[in-house]
Structures are given as structure tokens and as C-alpha cells.
Amino acid sequence: MNVHDILFWVFSIAMLVCGVMVIAHRNPVNSAMSLVLLFAFMAGLFVLLEAFFLATIQVLVYAGAVMVLFLFVIMLLDIRASVLKRLRWLGLVGALLVSGLLVWEIQQVLRQPAVESAVEAKGLALGLSDVVKPLFTQYMLPVQLTALLLLAAMVGVVLLSKRDLQ
Amino acid sequence: MVTLNHYLWVSGLLFALGIAGIVLRRNALVIFMALEMNLNAANLALVAFARYNHVVDAQVLVFFIIAIAAAEVAVGLAIIVALFRRKQTVSVDELNSMRL
């Protein structure tokens, strides 16, 4: 076990525990805080995979912007804290069934020899310029379309936030 | 030795957790958070593939997914706020009609 392996286990187990807490907490604020931690651990896994640019973006965009938005909305709505309703057994059974089936499928796929043979990381780590250069050449059109989509989202949010939708 | 398989397992388990959250929870905000977990699980799988197969396109795709997710969160939360203003609830059990 080297440092990389130990950090992998620490980050991934902590991340999955945070994931359980997101869906188990009754109070949405606690869920949101667990989600912030989950994003931080995910950024740690990105660093282990030597995707430093994406780790930075993950912290800036997800743990920063998206979660602040979530917390603002939770405070804005002022939801009655922990509405203690009984657990839906049908919902619990359905959730266990769907996610259990999914895990079984993943296990079936990951047993394939093509996946198991990819043991060693190939080549050098991808640097910042390796990741960013395609954005200006090969992926120019998708970048422009994403910009358009962000503009559309902004206009949509302004429109949705108006008091009367006339 | 941590292999690609380990990363894909973590990603798959996180995705399954997200699905379980979407099915189980009734608070629209928490459902939305579980959806974000799903997107992150997909991102982790893509980054792991990028590292172990040395393809840069997977990382570019993750970049796009994060951008789209930010837009999606903004619109989705605006819809939830607008819904709450009308109905005074974010429980999906009580939001059962398309009528305003």
C-alpha cells in the first residue's frame, strides 16, 4: 500500500459515507453540508487521478457556486425543519430494488476482462494545456453552444423569478 | 494497487446511492441534490477512464458536464422557488397537478 492507495480508500469511503448522509438526513441543510463534503472528497479523487484542472473547477463551481445556490434556496424557502413523516416502505423497497439491480449490473460489467486488464495508468498525466487546447480547436463549436446555453439559462432564471408570469 | 476497476466501483456505488435518493426522498430539493450526486459519479468514471486510457476527450467532456450542471442547477432551483411560491410546499407528494 503506497500513499496513493491509502488516500484512494480514505477519499472514496468518506465520499460514500457523505453520499449516504445526503439521502438519510431529514434536514435539507444537513444534506447540503454533506454534499459540500462529498464534492470536496470528489475533488481529492480528481487530484489522485492527476486531473488538477478539473479538481479546481470542481471546488470552484460545485462546492462554491452550486452549493451556495442550494443553501440560499433552502434558507429562502424556510422549510419547516424535519417534518417527521413515517418512512414510506414502498419507497424504501423500490429504492433498494433499483439501486441493488444497478450495483449487480455494474458488477457484471466490471467482471469483463477488458476492464480488468486496465491496471496501469497509461502515459503521462494530462496537463492543463492538454485539457484546454481542444476547447479552442476541436471543441470550438460545443464551447460556443455551451455559452449560448448558459445565456438561455440566465434569461430563463430571470423570467422564472418574476413575481407574476404574465 | 488501485486499478481502474476500483474507481469504476466507487463511481457506480455513488450513482446507485443517487438513484436510491431520488426514489426514496420526497423533498424536491434533496431529490435535486441526489441528481447532482449522479452527475458527479459520471464525472468520476470519465476522469478515471481519461487517466487509465490516456484520452484527453473524457476530461473535456467532464468540463462540459460541469458547465451544463451549473446551468441546470440554476434553472431547477428557480423552478422549485416558483413552485414553492405557488403551493407553499416542496414535497413532491403534494405537488401532484400540472395546473398552477
Side-chain angles (χ1 to χ4, degrees), chain A residues 77 79-80 83 85 88, chain B residues 25-29 31 80 83-84 87-97:
Chain A
L77 299 190
I79 302 157
R80 298 167 299 284
V83 216
K85 287 178 183 166
R88 276 180 317 176
Chain B
R25 295 303 301 260
R26 281 171 287 180
N27 188 332
L29 277 167
I31 291 177
I80 290 177
L83 260 178
F84 184 79
K87 307 258 184 174
Q88 302 301 314
T89 180
V90 287
S91 170
V92 288
D93 278 353
E94 291 159 50
L95 301 169
N96 51 12
S97 75

Side-chain angles (χ1 to χ4, degrees), chain A residues 5 23 25 39 42 49 58 62 70 77 86 88 98 102 110 116 119 124 130-131 139 146 149 163, chain B residues 1 5 12 15-16 19 24-27 32 36 40 51-52 54 56-57 59 64 68-69 84-85:
Chain A
D5 292 12
I23 63 174
H25 267 303
F39 288 151
M42 180 70 86
L49 286 166
Q58 172 87 7
Y62 265 119
F70 263 108
L77 299 190
R86 64 195 157 68
R88 276 180 317 176
V98 171
L102 199 65
L110 292 188
E116 284 194 330
V119 174
L124 295 167
D130 294 323
V131 180
Y139 291 98
T146 310
L149 187 90
R163 276 257 162 236
Chain B
M1 183 70 196
N5 231 334
F15 195 89
I19 292 280
L24 192 63
R25 295 303 301 260
R26 281 171 287 180
N27 188 332
F32 213 51
E36 291 304 307
N40 262 275
R51 180 73 192 100
Y52 281 89
H54 203 256
V56 72
D57 302 67
Q59 287 207 14
F64 281 120
I68 302 293
F84 184 79
R85 229 184 252 149

Side-chain angles (χ1 to χ4, degrees), chain A residues 117-135:
Chain A
S117 64
V119 174
E120 282 291 329
K122 264 189 215 152
L124 295 167
L126 295 162
L128 177 58
S129 59
D130 294 323
V131 180
V132 173
K133 224 175 257 167
L135 290 177

Side-chain angles (χ1 to χ4, degrees), chain B residues 11-82:
Chain B
S11 158
L13 287 177
L14 192 66
F15 195 89
L17 266 178
I19 292 280
I22 291 169
V23 176
L24 192 63
R25 295 303 301 260
R26 281 171 287 180
N27 188 332
L29 277 167
V30 182
I31 291 177
F32 213 51
M33 289 184 208
L35 216 63
E36 291 304 307
M37 274 164 59
N38 276 357
L39 280 172
N40 262 275
N43 281 353
L44 180 61
L46 280 170
V47 174
F49 276 125
R51 180 73 192 100
Y52 281 89
N53 292 322
H54 203 256
V55 280
V56 72
D57 302 67
Q59 287 207 14
V60 176
L61 191 56
V62 172
F63 180 79
F64 281 120
I65 291 175
I66 291 177
I68 302 293
E72 175 236 347
V73 165
V75 175
L77 286 178
I79 290 174
I80 290 177
V81 170

Side-chain angles (χ1 to χ4, degrees), chain A residues 9 17-18 24 26 30 38 41 46 61 67 73 80 91 98-99 113-114 123 125 130 134 138-139 141 156:
Chain A
W9 289 111
V17 169
C18 285
R26 286 193 182 279
N30 290 352
L38 187 145
F41 288 127
F46 283 0
V61 175
M67 288 323 294
V73 168
R80 298 167 299 284
V98 171
S99 50
D130 294 323
Q138 192 185 353
Y139 291 98
L141 185 63

